[in-house]
Amino acid sequence: GDPMTYLYLFQIGPVQAFIAQARRTQDLLVGSRILSDLAAAGVGAAMGARNFQAIFPALLNGSLPQSVPHKFAFIADDEPTKLAAQVEQAIREMWRKRYSQPVKQLVKERIGGGEWEAQYDAQAENWLEFYWVALKDYDPNKHADAYGQASAALSQRKYARHFPQVNEPGIKCTLTGSQAALVLDWKKLSDSFRDNNITLRPNEKLGTLALIKRLVADTPTYPYQKEASAFPATDDIAANRKVRDGESSEGKEVSGYLAVLHMDGDQMGKRLSELKTLKDNQEFSRLLSTFAQELVPAIVKEHGGQMGRLVYAGGDDVLALLPLSHVLSCANEIRWQFYEQTGCKMSAGIAVTPANLPLDVGLTLAREAEEMAKEGFGRNAVVITEAHGTGQLRLAGAQWQIEPEDADPIYVMQVMRRMQDHFASRHISSKLGYDVQQIAHDLGTPNAENKGYLAMLSAMRRAELERILKRRFAEGLSDSKKEAILKLVPELVAIGDAYGWDSLANWLILVRFLAAGGRRDAERALEKEEQA
């Protein structure tokens, strides 16, 4: 009979954990490259099918974007089980040829073969999860229904996923904690890289996945060597410049902080379900691909400081590592351009972490912050969180804009950026955030029904904020500067009233920290100055 058209959805997993398990910027970069390469191999295999048409990601000028998302969709006329098998085979082949085999070869050259090889092979083959659904009798004019059905089926398929029972005895991988560490001579392997600074730390014992991420850039066939060697370490990003050799050696206290920015489109499922025809969906995919491929890299380049780096942008999700002073403007610009490009909103999570903290902690915090922006702040929001050495967190959140009933919208990031600039230029004392904490404590909003009483409290907080600001001006500050700062009072009050003055205090304390570039020594110098 006539060939039948199918709608295909594919997904490779497990994604978040795979990328987030990274101690160093290199692990992170390689992790995101691996997933993109695997997805690209899958789409590449599908492109050979009869009447293939991409849905997501969109092909720009006939070629795949640089970061291919781990989920892809297309229509084709080929019989599903056969096509799915070809796609899966292409993905697994890419994994073996470019990643697992070359690293195994490298390790063998360094320390010789042995029992570790069987363990390596088992772990290398077991981690990759692979899901697909195909919907038959596809009608491009009833696209939304078909896509919705396929998505639901894929979710069901994932819930029923098979877990290969891997009960591995022995020491756990020091990076992932999920795979067992390979049983091999780690000291010998680590020593073999000594010339090449710190590829493996002496006390690290890794499972296969972590080892592949760490070593693949040293294999001769790895195509992204240049990118990997140019990707800065966490302390370079924190300092916003290349740290010179010998200036901060491994193990020495690094006083820098950096920001991990994780952003994600809001309610994308809902938006996709509104795209009625195949053409609509392809057009929307093209907007997303352009955003990820062209707009985001340009924004990070322009707003991300000298050392800010994009790790990936795969459609509606973005991960970047940034110097503290640049993170707010970068996040704000990305969400504006996403809205301009797609008409969709976006939420952001920002984690401020010490450069010497393992990167996976910051990645997890940023993802949790982004989830809190969606759940706790009703989407279209940003949450910033700072991890101190003591493990306690300071957290602030807000929607990107507040819409007062009788006034223009207040753009929270613009207000905070201005405060950041005033702190950075030493126009205001760094104690301001703590003063606002005191206001929150003394004039906090009780659960009163009395509107008049609440209005009076609000007026008192406003007057108190003005009084304190004037007291906290730097000596000899020009009148025009003072005026500019006082102009921000109504907006700061609105933010405090919307989210609580404790939250406003946290914003100011964090923004003050961003302004210092997060360097503890800069903090101490400022404190000394103020005590004097």
Side-chain angles (χ1 to χ4, degrees), residues 232-248:
T234 47
D235 26 351
D236 291 332
I237 296 169
N240 202 18
R241 61 186 170 76
K242 269 277 189 229
V243 174
R244 287 186 297 280
D245 268 352
E247 188 182 322
S248 88

Side-chain angles (χ1 to χ4, degrees), residues 494-509:
I495 295 168
D497 286 350
Y499 296 107
W501 281 61
D502 275 320
S503 186
L504 176 62
N506 277 348
W507 269 111
L508 292 171
I509 292 166

